[in-house]
Amino acid sequence: MCGIVGYIGARDSAPVVLGGLKRLEYRGYDSAGIAVLENGEIGLRRNVGKLENLERSVAESPLRGQIGIGHTRWATHGQPSERNAHPHISMDGQFVVVHNGIVENYLELRKELKAQGVVFKSETDTEVIVHLVEKLASAGHDLTEATRLACLRLKGAHAIVTLSATQPDRLVAVRIGNAGGVVLGIGRDEMFIASDIPAILEYTRRLVFLESRQMATVTRDGYSIQTLDKMPVDAPIHEISWDPVGAARGEYRHFMQKEIFEQGRSLTDTIRGRIDFDSGCVILPDLPLTPEEAKRLKRIVTVACGTSAYAGLVGKFMIERLARIPVEVDYGSEYRYRDPILDSDCAVLAITQSGETVDTLSAMEEARNKGAKVWSIVNAIGSQAMRLADGHISMQAGPEIGVASTKAFTSSIVDQYLLALHLGQLRGTLTLEESRTHTTDLAKLPDLVGKVLDRADEVQKLAKKLFQYSDFLYLGRGINYPIALEGALKLKEISYIHAEGYPAGEMKHGPIALIDEHMPVLAVAIKDSVYDKMISQIEQAKARRGVVIAVGTEGDEFIATKADHVLYVPELPPLLSPVLTVIPLQLLAYYIAVERGCDVDQPRNLAKSVTVE
Ligand code: AGP
């Protein structure tokens, strides 16, 4: 949920930067900071808590200068504190950096820099960046090149802005992967940089968006963009409309598209502040639970509807595997009508994006009446499902506007992964060493999501071949069976095409009768323990002239000899794989709906929150 704002021009930069940060407050943060270049020196102010505290610091001890950068931080590595807040400053005080994302290899870089005499002032992963930039600059590189070379050392997805007293004519902004956007705002003899467009819309509607692995050198009279491999980029300028809805959609045609592409960032926000990466411990402050209570738990019942219920089915695998607690998943709409058996050793976990779905709320009420502990995983802050629960996990996915849920699905899966780790740690089913491995896997996720999104063009091309079919079958097994259900739901919701999701092993017990050349079959067949079984389902579908599209693991050439088309995702431990495998299916549904001219964001007959039974 971090926010970045930068300014270079003729105005006093501090009010522009602070005003921009204010407009990003809705994203949530726990500390904030600003750096301004003033008479050749960098002035820095940082405070814990609300922006008012930072504004007060700046009012008491003003910063005057025409280049500045600011940041609102939501802690990932290290507690919210003044010294952990951004911007981070180099040892010589000449360089500052603000950053969104997670430096996956920060421990290794920290060690290396410490060995070279660097003294770290914070516990953050970000601080390594500023020390790398300082070292590279002292080796003779200008700020742009030093920032570029430093970025080449980082693993993970990032949005970064650097500023240096040694080169007071510029700011350097970089985007790698999808840990958040970087947008440049073009003014008259002034330029703006932000992580989100609302921060700078007051000043300009002429915007340039950096793509992954692009960086911009921004001066007061313009900018130049290059890739991290030093290839010049001629990026298009977007004129953003003045209506608030159009402005919120930014460069995207639909909210659903924006929300699919935001997932690298929304997942970074979901993970943020929940893990101590050094120890592997999960921190869920709004879900109070003692080790004794966790050990007493006999069962978890997940209640949810639609996409959230499918997320619950994925979570079942995670909680059972990591915390060794049996999990049942039920539709909110069914649950209370079957006189469920519950007691105080059961926890009922409601998953809901809106927090207002009446069927899910009723199931929560039923659980409360029967004496179970009630938990929720909710996106809409302050909603009923958050208030009704004994403990909750906030998804932190940010507002989801498109009726078809996308980023809330992946965030709620990650939240359940965190819950599973937390329960496993409290119950002693996971060692800290194992936890550390799992949290390291999790930290890789936003970057890998970005890699899947980088292949969106391939999915779009495929959509052009498929959009006229009228029936689809989606197959998956194990933890990717719910992804088949979700892929089918996405397609039917927004394109009005009939689609069914099925556990692949069940195909031969009925749906196989449907397969012919008019029925595309989507098969999630990554390299996991059921890979061979999935290949055999693909062969059976092919033998009946089905058109097979597989979601496969990068590098798997064999599957390309079996399926008609393969949508590849990077390799990841199977427990987290659904977060990647669902993305090509979200994209496919989206592009097919666009090809068919459907109203993607407001599909017929559907509402974003279903508050009637
Ligand atoms: C998802 O694309 C749908 N719009 C729908 O299935 C939705 O997930 C369901 O209505 C539950 O909503 P909730 O998560 O807000 O409770």
Side-chain angles (χ1 to χ4, degrees):
M1 303 205 175
C2 302
I4 288 177
V5 183
Y7 176 76
I8 181 164
R11 301 176 203 240
D12 215 1
S13 62
V16 178
V17 170
L18 291 171
L21 292 178
K22 193 105 199 133
R23 263 164 247 111
L24 300 183
E25 271 198 306
Y26 70 93
R27 296 191 58 81
Y29 62 99
D30 48 40
S31 54
I34 180 170
V36 170
L37 190 57
E38 189 177 5
N39 302 325
E41 283 191 11
I42 290 175
L44 188 65
R45 307 281 181 276
R46 299 182 297 193
N47 287 83
V48 177
K50 291 284 145 200
L51 267 174
E52 281 83 58
N53 301 341
L54 180 64
E55 285 168 334
R56 208 171 308 118
S57 293
V58 175
E60 281 163 7
S61 170
L63 291 167
R64 299 211 195 289
Q66 281 117 18
I67 311 182
I69 57 177
H71 189 266
T72 45
R73 169 178 190 254
W74 189 282
T76 53
H77 298 63
Q79 295 301 306
S81 64
E82 188 264 321
R83 68 199 185 100
N84 285 337
H86 301 209
H88 288 283
I89 191 155
S90 58
M91 298 238 291
D92 64 3
Q94 302 279 294
F95 299 85
V96 273
V97 66
V98 289
H99 165 233
N100 289 350
I102 296 172
V103 181
E104 287 170 22
N105 54 336
Y106 86 103
L107 284 173
E108 183 186 313
L109 292 171
R110 223 176 144 98
K111 204 162 147 198
E112 176 187 318
L113 288 160
K114 271 185 182 168
Q116 294 169 24
V118 171
V119 179
F120 280 82
K121 297 191 249 336
S122 77
E123 297 141 319
T124 64
D125 54 333
T126 301
E127 197 185 335
V128 296
I129 305 172
V130 78
H131 297 307
L132 284 172
V133 172
E134 180 193 347
K135 290 220 165 282
L136 289 156
S138 62
H141 299 292
D142 71 359
L143 182 64
T144 304
E145 185 61 2
T147 304
R148 185 184 79 84
L149 293 170
C151 285
L152 293 178
R153 300 286 322 274
L154 308 180
K155 284 196 185 147
H158 313 278
I160 292 166
V161 181
T162 57
L163 158 67
S164 173
T166 61
Q167 257 184 310
D169 66 330
R170 67 185 58 188
L171 292 171
V172 178
V174 187
R175 174 175 170 188
I176 307 171
N178 287 290
V182 177
V183 55
L184 312 181
I186 307 169
R188 193 165 294 160
D189 299 325
E190 60 183 352
M191 288 287 299
F192 305 82
I193 299 174
S195 53
D196 306 79
I197 55 177
I200 53 176
L201 277 185
E202 184 186 340
Y203 302 102
T204 178
R205 302 265 157 170
R206 300 186 73 219
L207 305 179
V208 176
F209 298 90
L210 293 191
E211 299 297 333
S212 179
R213 298 188 63 77
Q214 291 183 353
M215 63 185 293
T217 302
V218 180
T219 59
R220 62 155 61 192
D221 49 11
Y223 60 93
S224 62
I225 302 181
Q226 60 173 345
T227 64
L228 282 182
D229 307 318
K230 289 183 102 169
M231 298 300 290
V233 174
D234 186 14
I237 296 174
H238 294 257
E239 300 278 349
I240 297 298
S241 77
W242 286 91
D243 77 282
V245 174
R249 244 190 347 252
E251 72 200 284
Y252 296 100
R253 191 167 156 198
H254 298 103
F255 279 107
M256 181 185 178
Q257 182 191 19
K258 176 172 184 267
E259 287 154 9
I260 292 174
F261 279 89
E262 254 170 19
Q263 287 176 105
R265 176 175 186 161
S266 55
L267 291 172
T268 308
D269 289 343
T270 299
I271 298 166
R272 206 178 284 289
R274 265 84 184 262
I275 298 172
D276 177 339
F277 283 96
D278 289 331
S279 67
C281 275
V282 169
I283 310 143
L284 298 175
D286 299 317
L287 196 96
L289 191 67
T290 63
E292 292 66 39
E293 285 170 324
K295 282 179 191 144
R296 256 202 327 269
L297 273 179
K298 298 261 177 327
R299 199 159 51 100
I300 292 178
V301 181
T302 302
V303 289
C305 300
T307 289
S308 294
Y310 299 155
L313 287 173
V314 175
K316 172 183 164 73
F317 283 82
M318 296 170 164
I319 297 170
E320 291 189 344
R321 180 76 52 82
L322 301 176
R324 306 308 296 158
I325 307 176
V327 180
E328 284 168 37
V329 183
D330 209 337
Y331 291 114
S333 51
E334 288 292 319
Y335 188 65
R336 69 181 157 141
Y337 295 112
R338 66 175 170 90
D339 191 14
I341 303 164
L342 287 172
D343 58 37
S344 57
D345 293 339
C346 293
V348 169
L349 170 67
I351 304 176
T352 164
Q353 187 288 131
S354 64
E356 301 292 347
T357 301
V358 74
D359 288 323
T360 306
L361 294 174
S362 309
M364 290 173 80
E365 226 170 83
E366 177 76 13
R368 154 89 16 96
N369 293 339
K370 295 214 153 157
K373 215 180 267 309
V374 181
W375 295 335
S376 61
I377 294 179
V378 188
N379 197 32
I381 293 168
S383 60
Q384 288 215 58
M386 209 173 246
R387 299 197 310 268
L388 276 179
D390 302 313
H392 70 266
I393 305 176
S394 159
M395 284 186 204
Q396 299 181 177
E400 192 181 66
I401 312 290
V403 165
S405 187
T406 50
K407 63 176 180 170
F409 179 71
T410 45
S411 282
S412 58
I413 290 177
V414 167
D415 281 323
Q416 290 176 89
Y417 190 75
L418 291 170
L419 176 62
L421 289 174
H422 187 51
L423 289 170
Q425 287 164 4
L426 292 174
R427 289 163 63 86
T429 54
L430 282 177
T431 62
L432 271 185
E433 200 45 50
E434 287 164 337
S435 296
R436 221 174 285 126
T437 310
H438 291 300
T439 52
T440 308
D441 292 341
L442 196 54
K444 292 181 192 146
L445 200 52
D447 186 36
L448 297 181
V449 165
K451 294 204 161 93
V452 182
L453 291 168
D454 287 345
R455 305 183 85 137
D457 288 355
E458 294 167 29
V459 187
Q460 189 171 15
K461 277 190 200 126
L462 183 60
K464 287 184 196 296
K465 292 185 183 154
L466 296 177
F467 75 98
Q468 279 165 327
Y469 285 94
S470 52
D471 302 278
F472 282 70
L473 181 63
Y474 285 67
L475 301 174
R477 265 190 111 134
I479 198 166
N480 277 296
Y481 154 53
I483 298 308
L485 297 176
E486 173 60 5
L489 179 67
K490 285 288 88 84
L491 186 68
K492 61 187 133 190
E493 275 189 297
I494 57 168
S495 71
Y496 318 138
I497 294 174
H498 167 240
E500 283 195 53
Y502 240 84
E506 282 292 296
M507 183 175 78
K508 58 188 172 296
H509 299 292
I512 198 163
L514 296 170
I515 297 177
D516 61 15
E517 68 274 28
H518 305 298
M519 169 78 114
V521 177
L522 269 290
V524 184
I526 55 163
K527 285 274 195 168
D528 59 8
S529 58
V530 290
Y531 174 73
D532 292 340
K533 311 269 177 224
M534 285 305 304
I535 293 290
S536 127
Q537 310 296 334
I538 290 173
E539 278 170 339
Q540 290 175 40
K542 282 304 305 168
R544 279 137 192 106
R545 302 193 310 282
V547 183
V548 177
I549 300 104
V551 175
T553 304
E554 253 165 32
D556 179 6
E557 285 164 20
F558 179 68
I559 198 164
T561 66
K562 298 286 168 192
D564 297 283
H565 308 277
V566 186
L567 300 171
Y568 284 109
V569 296
E571 194 169 358
L572 190 66
L575 266 192
L576 280 170
S577 66
V579 178
L580 300 185
T581 53
V582 76
I583 293 174
L585 303 186
Q586 293 172 340
L587 287 168
L588 187 66
Y590 171 75
Y591 288 124
I592 287 180
V594 170
E595 286 298 324
R596 290 166 74 96
C598 297
D599 184 350
V600 172
D601 283 332
Q602 281 160 346
R604 68 184 183 203
N605 308 340
L606 294 176
K608 186 66 187 159
S609 67
V610 184
T611 53
V612 290
E613 232 193 297

